[in-house]
Amino acid sequence: MLELEFGLLGPLTVTSGHRPLPVSAAKQRVILALLLLRGNHIVSTDELIDAIWNESPPATARVTLQNYVRRLRRTFGSSGNGRIRTVDPGYQIDINPNDLDVNRFDRLCRQAQDHMRTGEWESASPRLREALDLWRGDPLVDVPCRSLTLEVVPRLNEAHLQATESWLEAELHQAKHTEVITQLRQLAQTEPRSRSCTS
């Protein structure tokens, strides 16, 4: 059975092997993003409803939420293997650390920071490059959720900026000035963002 992989560092993606599993409905993307960001922990029904309808839920919100979750499970098909579970008082998605790009990014950044603290720049640089290569655009760009936009997206952007700065530092310590100049030129052409790597 193929494993599922999830991406939030750009548009939301779900793949089974190399086959994309589209999540076309915006509200289903909100549910999935919240569950993924709390992987292996319960997200309450009330929190999901607030995130989907911004504190103005319809009277049928709970039934509608159940239908959205049912459709997500159907999207995953046999590859999902019961990934989204109903657990009082809400839902939980079961994921391995490598199933989600955000988790892989954080892990690579932590490894790189460990190497930088001991001056192992040649080991830090490729891990930071691998972390940065996971980004496919603005995080959660197609997930219309106010709470995620206000709370999670800024943290992810900060992490990206710090990872970029750390990679430039590691490259400079290895006298790779051409690579640094090229990267700085690219950064100058993009809109400045507020981003930092967790340690």
Side-chain angles (χ1 to χ4, degrees), residues 126-138:
R127 285 171 173 78
L128 289 163
R129 185 68 265 167
E130 185 179 350
L132 292 169
D133 287 344
L134 292 171
W135 287 66
R136 297 167 288 107
D138 293 330

Side-chain angles (χ1 to χ4, degrees), residues 12-149:
L12 186 149
T13 59
V14 183
T15 57
S16 176
H18 295 292
R19 182 171 65 93
L21 303 178
V23 181
S24 55
K27 289 182 172 59
Q28 290 179 46
R29 291 196 298 273
V30 172
I31 295 166
L32 182 54
L34 278 166
L35 292 174
L36 288 169
L37 289 165
R38 301 265 199 86
N40 305 316
H41 293 86
I42 301 168
V43 182
S44 72
T45 296
D46 289 340
E47 184 176 353
L48 288 165
I49 288 173
D50 285 345
I52 295 167
W53 286 285
N54 291 324
E55 301 176 357
S56 300
T60 59
R62 289 182 179 272
V63 173
T64 304
L65 173 61
Q66 291 171 359
N67 288 330
Y68 287 151
V69 171
R70 187 176 301 116
R71 291 173 195 164
L72 276 174
R73 288 169 171 155
R74 193 178 303 134
T75 296
F76 294 169
S78 59
S79 300
N81 194 25
R83 286 294 190 102
I84 299 178
R85 298 190 292 122
T86 303
V87 186
D88 190 53
Y91 299 92
Q92 173 178 316
I93 191 167
D94 296 327
I95 60 172
N96 296 317
N98 284 331
D99 292 345
L100 179 62
D101 59 359
V102 174
N103 293 342
R104 294 198 301 274
F105 174 82
D106 288 341
R107 174 177 51 80
L108 288 163
C109 285
R110 287 194 300 270
Q111 291 174 352
Q113 291 296 330
D114 289 342
H115 288 301
M116 291 174 72
R117 277 191 282 272
T118 56
E120 298 174 86
W121 306 104
E122 70 286 349
S123 297
S125 182
R127 285 171 173 78
L128 289 163
R129 185 68 265 167
E130 185 179 350
L132 292 169
D133 287 344
L134 292 171
W135 287 66
R136 297 167 288 107
D138 293 330
L140 301 165
V141 67
D142 60 346
V143 179
C145 176
R146 185 176 60 188
S147 61
L148 293 181
T149 299

